[in-house]
Amino acid sequence: MTITRRQALGLTAGAAAFLTFAPRISFAATAETDAAIKAFTGGATPTEGTVSLDTPEIAENGNTVPVGVTVDSPMTEDSYVESVLILADGNPSPAVATFHFTAMSGAAEAKTRIRLAKTQNVIAVAKMNDGSTFMDTKEVKVTIGGCGG
Amino acid sequence: MAKVVKHVAVLFAGVMLGGSTAAFAGGPSDDKLVIDDEIEIITRTAAPEGHPLDEVISGWHYRTEETRALEADSFQNPGMLYVERGEEIWNTVDGAAGKSCASCHGDDGEFLKGLGANYPKWDEANNRPINIELQINACREANMEAKPYKFDAADQKALTTYIKHQSLGMPVEVDLTQGEMKSWWDKGEELYYTRTGQLNLSCATCHEDYNGNYIRADHLSQGNVNGFPTYRLKQSSMVSLHNRFRGCIRDTRAEFPAAFSDDLMALEVYVTWRGSGLSVETPAVRQ
Amino acid sequence: MAAPKPRVKVPKKASQGEVITIKTLISHPMESGQRKDKKTGELIPRKIINKFSCEFNGQVVFSCDLDPAVSANPYMEFNAKVNEPGTFKFTWVDDDGSVYETEKKITIE
């Protein structure tokens, strides 16, 4: 997938128009992102901490941005991370991926590469086997190439 | 005027990056590229005689830490998917003669070791330089009795990537004493310094005068070609050298020459020479 | 590209109870469904890998639901705790219903 500069600008304009009318949520996520978080947590507001996102401060190209997530958990049969939801709140659709762990995962860590349409927040929400939820947010600046390249 | 432009570029870079990473903001990084902790890649070397710059630097140094890391791990490098595909093609029979590349050249990679580091070469039969893509097509027609690949066909890119990868780490060296290579080099040099397009840019404007600076958010490299075909994050696929040449010329808003035309073959001879001594990095990973 | 081809990297051996790192990559364009065909102006239909899973001796170790925002040639890196020798089975599910699979064995030293 290639996101052209024009599309990126269009998205920015759209998001700006949207924010003018939408009520602002604590971390300024879009309503769609907030709904996705609530659907994942069963309505609960996640606590900061325990989960941490590893993203570059600046992505050279929005088509391939490395993202890593680590959850502080013993990963035993009694206490483990069930899943981690990754969202990107400035994309046409915020859903990125959901990792599902088990006690056999050994460590609650995963990495992948994602597409970001523009500079925006990447969000990770972790759900533990006891139902508690945690969240981390990182901003990634997406640069736009030089000449049409 | 030139000085003003430079200042604007540097200032812009500072704004973009908030001055957070010094190595990134100014000039190339001083990192070392060792693939899989095994294969040392020559990414900086003394320029060959007659080169306008003192040091030849691979485009790898101009990329962010994350992009550099992708190339340093052959598993994470998505270009390796195309190397594997290229190996399959190498060993697959095609054409009326019932042959594969491996039928004549073997399947152990011995024949290919170092070969990709020494192209383009002089092609006596056609009285012009020949590159890997044209060599593949010549073999397909003459020996395999198969159709030549169209420019940038997926199989052409994968096979070229596989062939070049067999010289990973070996220094690029073009033999200008063969045939009329020197006169093609001269023609390539002339093209390199000729301003074209509505933006009135030559290759040298960006890649010689302003390498290390920014053109909007792009960190300009020396434009060396030792990593082609290159896995480009923008396309999420392999990009061939002549595709990149055409893209650059298009970006100056000029009419661009056909792939493998005399102009682009001359440019390939000259630009490959400019990167003499750098290791073959194929498949390099770039933005 | 030809048919999607998986690549996986798993250590050949581990000590009992060791947590190992597994890396996977598969060639796939991850067509997002949001891109237009430059010639016709029509939307190119979505075609992505939507599910990945890793099992060890029949038990799920790690899985992932993928959305169109995952990059082309999807890469996954995760861990597994190895208590016994056995076989890792990796599965990728395509939107068109195709399933791509590969396996790797591991021994205990």
Side-chain angles (χ1 to χ4, degrees):
Chain A
M1 185 180 85
T2 311
I3 294 159
T4 66
R5 178 168 168 270
R6 191 158 296 163
Q7 281 166 337
L9 287 173
L11 285 168
T12 315
F18 180 68
L19 284 174
T20 316
F21 302 107
R24 287 181 73 86
I25 312 159
S26 57
F27 60 97
T30 61
E32 208 182 337
T33 302
D34 197 49
I37 295 172
K38 290 279 157 57
F40 179 74
T41 63
T45 303
T47 318
E48 295 281 327
T50 304
V51 57
S52 68
L53 262 172
D54 182 17
T55 54
E57 223 178 302
I58 298 154
E60 239 175 336
N61 190 292
N63 277 340
T64 312
V65 183
V67 168
V69 65
T70 309
V71 188
D72 185 10
S73 160
M75 294 305 278
T76 59
E77 293 287 346
D78 299 330
S79 174
Y80 63 95
V81 184
E82 276 183 3
S83 41
V84 176
L85 171 73
I86 308 287
L87 300 169
D89 77 349
N91 274 357
S93 165
V96 175
T98 312
F99 301 124
H100 304 282
F101 300 94
T102 67
M104 282 177 71
S105 304
E109 283 177 24
K111 289 181 187 167
T112 188
R113 300 170 189 157
I114 70 171
R115 291 162 167 163
L116 297 177
K118 56 171 183 167
T119 294
Q120 59 182 286
N121 285 325
V122 176
I123 298 149
V125 189
K127 184 158 60 182
M128 319 304 265
N129 63 324
D130 66 2
S132 59
T133 54
F134 300 91
M135 187 170 85
D136 190 22
T137 304
K138 286 269 163 68
E139 191 197 43
V140 180
K141 291 187 177 73
V142 177
T143 63
I144 295 167
C147 6
Chain B
M1 182 57 202
K3 201 150 209 172
V4 174
V5 173
K6 202 167 204 167
H7 283 154
V8 170
V10 170
L11 181 68
F12 186 66
V15 171
M16 278 305 299
L17 302 163
S20 54
T21 36
F24 188 84
S29 78
D30 48 14
D31 221 352
K32 277 209 167 59
L33 176 55
V34 183
I35 295 175
D36 298 341
D37 297 321
E38 272 175 33
I39 305 162
E40 287 192 27
I41 300 294
I42 306 160
T43 54
R44 303 183 87 123
T45 189
E49 207 187 315
H51 198 292
L53 302 169
D54 295 334
E55 191 184 22
V56 177
I57 305 172
S58 159
W60 181 80
H61 284 284
Y62 295 81
R63 307 280 48 98
T64 57
E65 195 184 334
E66 292 79 19
T67 310
R68 294 202 303 272
L70 278 182
E71 192 176 326
D73 178 348
S74 70
F75 188 85
Q76 289 198 46
N77 181 347
M80 292 303 291
L81 290 165
Y82 301 81
V83 170
E84 288 188 353
R85 171 68 191 138
E87 186 174 12
E88 274 177 17
I89 299 166
W90 179 266
N91 292 306
T92 303
V93 170
D94 195 8
K99 289 180 186 169
S100 67
C101 306
S103 310
C104 294
H105 305 300
D107 60 3
D108 58 0
E110 258 324 292
F111 170 79
L112 291 174
K113 207 164 168 53
L115 184 128
N118 299 316
Y119 269 78
K121 287 185 166 177
W122 184 249
D123 177 10
E124 203 64 57
N126 293 298
N127 202 37
R128 71 197 294 263
I130 188 167
N131 61 11
I132 301 278
E133 287 92 336
L134 292 176
Q135 182 66 66
I136 292 169
N137 276 352
C139 254
R140 285 179 65 81
E141 287 189 279
N143 305 324
M144 294 167 71
E145 294 170 42
K147 278 191 185 152
Y149 291 127
K150 287 198 175 113
F151 171 54
D152 266 358
D155 283 2
Q156 180 182 63
K157 288 196 282 183
L159 188 53
T160 306
T161 303
Y162 168 71
I163 290 172
K164 286 286 289 283
H165 180 69
Q166 303 313 306
S167 302
L168 183 73
M170 300 173 79
V172 170
E173 194 187 346
V174 195
D175 184 355
L176 296 175
T177 64
Q178 296 176 348
E180 291 164 34
M181 286 291 272
K182 183 62 176 56
S183 70
W184 285 75
W185 181 97
D186 289 338
K187 188 181 173 188
E189 183 189 35
E190 191 191 321
L191 287 166
Y192 192 88
Y193 288 98
T194 304
R195 288 176 178 268
T196 61
Q198 292 176 326
L199 297 183
N200 200 31
L201 296 168
S202 69
C203 307
T205 320
C206 290
H207 298 295
E208 186 171 305
D209 300 345
Y210 291 111
N211 82 78
N213 291 314
Y214 284 80
I215 183 162
R216 286 172 55 195
D218 250 354
H219 200 191
L220 290 171
S221 73
Q222 290 185 356
N224 287 314
V225 299
N226 53 308
F228 278 91
T230 283
Y231 187 87
R232 221 170 160 231
L233 302 181
K234 182 185 187 234
Q235 280 86 358
S236 303
S237 183
M238 298 310 296
V239 171
S240 68
L241 178 56
H242 285 234
N243 181 304
R244 189 57 256 174
F245 279 158
R246 283 154 57 95
C248 257
I249 298 168
R250 178 203 61 213
D251 293 344
T252 71
R253 302 190 188 163
E255 291 275 338
F256 45 85
F260 315 132
S261 61
D262 286 357
D263 278 359
L264 293 192
M265 288 308 296
L267 202 55
E268 179 169 350
V269 170
Y270 178 70
V271 176
T272 305
W273 169 84
R274 280 181 76 106
S276 294
L278 293 176
S279 292
V280 171
E281 282 179 41
T282 311
V285 182
R286 300 290 184 262
Q287 82 288 17
Chain C
M1 253 351 256
K5 215 179 146 185
R7 290 183 93 200
V8 296
K9 192 175 180 182
V10 179
K12 286 196 170 59
K13 46 191 175 180
S15 49
Q16 195 178 15
E18 189 182 341
V19 176
I20 59 162
T21 299
I22 294 175
K23 299 175 179 180
T24 73
L25 189 64
I26 188 165
S27 59
H28 196 284
M30 294 293 280
E31 193 59 60
S32 69
Q34 291 156 6
R35 238 162 42 111
K36 280 182 180 163
D37 187 307
K38 277 180 189 159
K39 285 179 192 142
T40 63
E42 301 279 315
L43 275 183
I44 303 169
R46 175 184 136 152
K47 188 181 183 295
I48 68 166
I49 300 273
N50 59 54
K51 181 94 188 160
F52 165 75
S53 73
C54 167
E55 288 177 13
F56 183 65
N57 293 346
Q59 276 190 294
V60 178
V61 172
F62 172 85
S63 67
C64 181
D65 301 308
L66 292 80
D67 292 290
V70 173
S71 305
N73 302 322
Y75 174 78
M76 289 287 156
E77 185 180 321
F78 52 92
N79 300 285
K81 190 172 183 182
V82 186
N83 291 320
E84 56 183 358
T87 306
F88 284 100
K89 184 180 167 192
F90 304 89
T91 311
W92 291 259
V93 181
D94 196 305
D95 273 348
D96 70 6
S98 307
V99 174
Y100 317 109
E101 288 177 329
T102 189
E103 292 188 349
K104 284 277 172 180
K105 283 189 165 42
I106 192 165
T107 55
I108 299 293
E109 59 187 359

